[in-house]
Amino acid sequence: MKVLVSLYVFVPLLVLATAEEEEVLDSILRDRSHIEETLRLAADDEAGDYAAALQRLRKIYHNSIRPMEHAYKYNELRQHEISDGEITSKPMVLLLGPWSVGKSSMINYLLGLKDTPYQLYTGAEPTTSEFTVIMHGEKIRTVEGIVMAADSSRSFSPLEKFGQTFLEKLVGIEMPHKLLERVTFVDTPGIIENRKQQERGYPFNDVCQWFIDRADLIFVVFDPTKLDVGLELEMLFRQLKGRESQIRIILNKADSLVTQDLMRVYGALFWSLAPLINVTEPPRVYVSSFWPYDYASDTSLELFKREEISLLEDLNQVIENRLENKIAFIRQHGIRVRIHALLVDRYVQTFKEKMTFFSDPELVFNEIIDDPDKFYIFKSILAKTNVSKFDLPNRAAYRDFFGINSISSFKQLSSQCSYMGGCLLEKIEKAITHELPGLLSSINSGKNPTLSSCEATGCGEKPKNRYRRN
C-alpha cells in the first residue's frame, strides 16, 4: 500500500518536472526574427517575371545550344547534359563535412523545424546516412529517391547513373516554406575517415562531385573537436578545386569554447586546411553556433550574432542573384559546347585532308590523336576563333572521346546548316554573344524578357538603311 501511494505521488511530480523542463527549454530557444529580416522572407517575390525569364532562357538553350550538344555528343565528353529541371531549379545550398558537426541542426535552425514532425534527426553519433534534399512543396511529405530520379520535372534524374543502391540512400522532404520557395538545401552523410567508400555501397565521392558541380553555395562545416584531416576529407577538397568562390567554411559550436580556446581552434583549423586550399584568397570562414538554442553565457555573443547575420547576407546574395547566375551558367556551358564543336570539326577536317585512296584510316587517325599539336588542331582554334587558351579542354580527353565515337560519324560544321533552321555554329555564337547577354541586360533594365525580338532582349540594334538620307 505504501508503494502504491508513493507511486501516485511520484507520477504527478514526474509529469510536472517534464513540463518544467520543456518550459525551460522553450525559454532558452534563440530568437529567429533576424533570419526573416536578413533573408527578406516577408517581401513579395516577383515570381511572374522570374518564370518568364527562365522560360526565355530555356528557349535559347533548346534552340541554339542543345542542337550542337547532340550533333557533336558533348555529353559523352563532359558527362553533363543540362535538363529542363536544372534550368528551372532553385539555387542549391550543399552542406558537407565530418559527422556530427551540426549540418542537420543548422538546416533545422534556418528553417525553424525544431519540434516539428519533419525536423532532421540529430545526435552525437553519426546520424545522417542519406543524401537529404529539403525542397519546397505544397504540403509536407517525404519523396523517395527512386521517385525523385524518375520525375523529369526535377533536376535529379541524372542521379540514376549511380545505381539503385544510391537511390535508396537519397530522400527528399517537401514542405511549404518561404525560404524553400527560393533555395533548396542538401544535407549529406558525414565524412567518417575510418570507413572506405566501398562500404557505403555506392560511389560516395562521385555523388558528392555531382552535387558540388551544381551547388550555388557550399557550406563545409567543422566543429572544434573534429579538425583532423584524413584521406576522405582530402579527397573532398580535391573535388572542390575550382569552386573556391562557392565555398564557405563554418566553424560551428563556437560557443562551446571560451574565447582563448576558440582563437587556438581557429588557428588550428586554418593550419589543417592550408595544404588543401591552395588559392590566393582563402574562403570566407564563419564562426558561430547554428542551432535553435541560445548562445552559451560568458562567450562572444555579439561576435557570433554578427557572424550569423553575415552568413545570412551571403545566402541572400545567392538568392537574389539566382537568375543572373543561371544565365551565366548556361552561357558558360554554351561556350564549352562551342569549343568542343570547333575542335571536333578541326579533327574531322584534318582526318579528311590526310586521307588518300591508299591510306589506312586507323593509322591516320592514330597519328592525329597521338600528336594533335603536329597538325595544329588546338593552335588553329586559338588563331582563328575568339577562344581563350585557358578554356581549351584536355587533349587526352579526345583520345577517349574518339575511342567511343568514330571520327567518320561526325559532319563538319560547314555542313551543319539547313534552310529553315540555319547553321548550328551561327546560332550558338548568336546565343553566346547577343541573346544571353541581352536577356541579362533586359532583366537589369526591367524590360519584358518574354518577348522574342531583339528589341525586347537587347540582342542587337535594328538594321539601318544606309542609302536613306537623314
Side-chain angles (χ1 to χ4, degrees), residues 154-211:
R154 304 180 190 271
S155 58
F156 302 103
S157 54
L159 287 171
E160 281 189 312
K161 67 182 180 180
F162 297 117
Q164 295 301 310
T165 304
F166 165 70
L167 293 181
E168 294 174 359
K169 295 292 185 180
L170 176 67
V171 63
I173 299 176
E174 289 185 347
M175 62 183 68
H177 195 285
K178 196 68 176 177
L179 179 55
L180 294 178
E181 291 179 4
R182 307 179 185 184
V183 69
T184 297
F185 290 95
V186 179
D187 190 16
T188 61
I191 293 172
I192 303 177
E193 295 296 349
N194 60 0
R195 175 179 294 178
K196 296 181 180 179
Q197 184 180 178
Q198 293 80 2
E199 295 177 7
R200 297 182 186 266
Y202 60 90
F204 175 75
N205 292 333
D206 293 340
V207 174
C208 285
Q209 188 66 62
W210 189 92
F211 282 103

Side-chain angles (χ1 to χ4, degrees), residues 1 12 53 125 131 136 150 153 163 197 210 224 252 302 402 435 462:
M1 185 65 181
E125 76 283 1
F131 282 80
H136 182 264
S153 64
Q197 184 180 178
W210 189 92
N252 202 12
E302 291 300 320
F402 285 115
E435 292 179 337
K462 187 176 180 180

Side-chain angles (χ1 to χ4, degrees), residues 123-149:
E125 76 283 1
T127 55
T128 303
S129 60
E130 298 93 5
F131 282 80
T132 307
V133 181
I134 302 95
M135 50 194 168
H136 182 264
E138 297 301 324
K139 60 182 180 179
I140 297 178
R141 67 174 186 139
T142 301
V143 185
E144 298 295 333
I146 54 175
V147 177
M148 294 173 61

